[in-house]
Amino acid sequence: MSTEQTSTPDTADAGPDTPAVQPKRRVALVAGVAVVALAADVLTKVLALSEWEGREPVRALGGLVYFQIVRNPGAAFSLATGMTWILAIGAVVVAGAIIWLSRRLRSAGWAVGLGLVLAGALGNLTDRIFRAPGLLRGHVIDFISLFSPNGEAWPVFNVADSCICVGAALIVVLSVLGKDYDGSSSRSGKAAKA
């Protein structure tokens, strides 16, 4: 009489591609990307404030880039000015949704994209919480302008904004290519059905 052992995804001998181990790695990848990108955002804002606060725009790369401090009470393109608390609540909702979704991830590309978006949301949320004029009303520190000073050709932005844009673009590209967050490929599924 032999006893049959059943293995669960949580067993110690689970392989790297078992259902429980792979999502844990993706959660770790989301967290790792978010921590590194958030640290870059906070550090660059601190350095930008120490170097460029109260100065005229600093020209770099032959005028391709200008550095200057802008305290932004709204969203990109100065939208929603005066609604900072709504933007802060939106960032909390986005962060919560990403954390919830990360437990279901099996795609490394989606994990990187979501980690970048999470870092961007948290980076700007940090400003809205801790910067003047007060809690949930703080102005976001923007300091990079492309092509012209004062955001005339392109809005002044920061590393967090860049993370959101790059992360969102990566997710869109993966979606267009049929790569789903759970690691499946919708194109191969459609081809199999055909």
Side-chain angles (χ1 to χ4, degrees), residues 86-104:
I86 293 174
L87 297 171
I89 291 169
V92 170
V93 169
V94 166
I98 290 171
I99 291 167
W100 177 81
L101 181 61
S102 68
R103 297 177 299 143
R104 292 168 172 71

Side-chain angles (χ1 to χ4, degrees), residues 22-35 37 98-99 101-119 163 166-168 170-171 174 179-183:
Q22 197 174 38
K24 287 180 183 176
R25 287 184 178 171
R26 298 306 177 241
V27 169
L29 182 56
V30 169
V33 168
V35 166
I98 290 171
I99 291 167
L101 181 61
S102 68
R103 297 177 299 143
R104 292 168 172 71
L105 285 177
R106 291 185 187 278
S107 165
W110 272 80
V112 170
L114 289 174
L116 288 170
V117 172
L118 178 60
C163 288
V166 171
L170 177 57
I171 290 168
L174 290 170
K179 306 292 183 187
D180 293 328
Y181 71 92
D182 63 359

Side-chain angles (χ1 to χ4, degrees), residues 7-181:
S7 65
T8 63
D10 296 326
T11 58
D13 61 333
D17 293 324
T18 59
V21 175
Q22 197 174 38
K24 287 180 183 176
R25 287 184 178 171
R26 298 306 177 241
V27 169
L29 182 56
V30 169
V33 168
V35 166
V36 169
L38 178 59
D41 178 62
V42 171
L43 180 62
T44 55
K45 286 174 181 173
V46 168
L47 291 173
L49 285 170
S50 70
E51 291 295 318
W52 301 311
E53 181 87 79
R55 290 181 60 185
E56 290 295 317
V58 176
R59 186 175 184 220
L61 301 175
L64 177 64
V65 177
Y66 289 83
F67 297 107
Q68 67 186 85
I69 300 298
V70 173
R71 294 178 183 273
N72 184 358
F77 303 100
S78 297
L79 297 174
T81 300
M83 301 173 84
T84 305
W85 66 274
I86 293 174
L87 297 171
I89 291 169
V92 170
V93 169
V94 166
I98 290 171
I99 291 167
W100 177 81
L101 181 61
S102 68
R103 297 177 299 143
R104 292 168 172 71
L105 285 177
R106 291 185 187 278
S107 165
W110 272 80
V112 170
L114 289 174
L116 288 170
V117 172
L118 178 60
L122 293 177
N124 287 337
L125 178 61
T126 301
D127 283 357
R128 295 186 196 290
I129 291 173
F130 296 109
R131 296 205 186 271
L135 181 66
L136 296 181
R137 295 179 297 119
H139 295 179
V140 172
I141 302 300
D142 291 329
F143 60 93
I144 306 166
S145 179
L146 299 179
F147 312 116
S148 66
N150 304 317
E152 295 159 2
W154 191 263
V156 183
F157 61 97
N158 59 37
V159 172
D161 299 333
S162 299
C163 288
I164 291 169
C165 292
V166 171
L170 177 57
I171 290 168
V172 167
V173 167
L174 290 170
S175 296
V176 168
L177 293 175
K179 306 292 183 187
D180 293 328
Y181 71 92

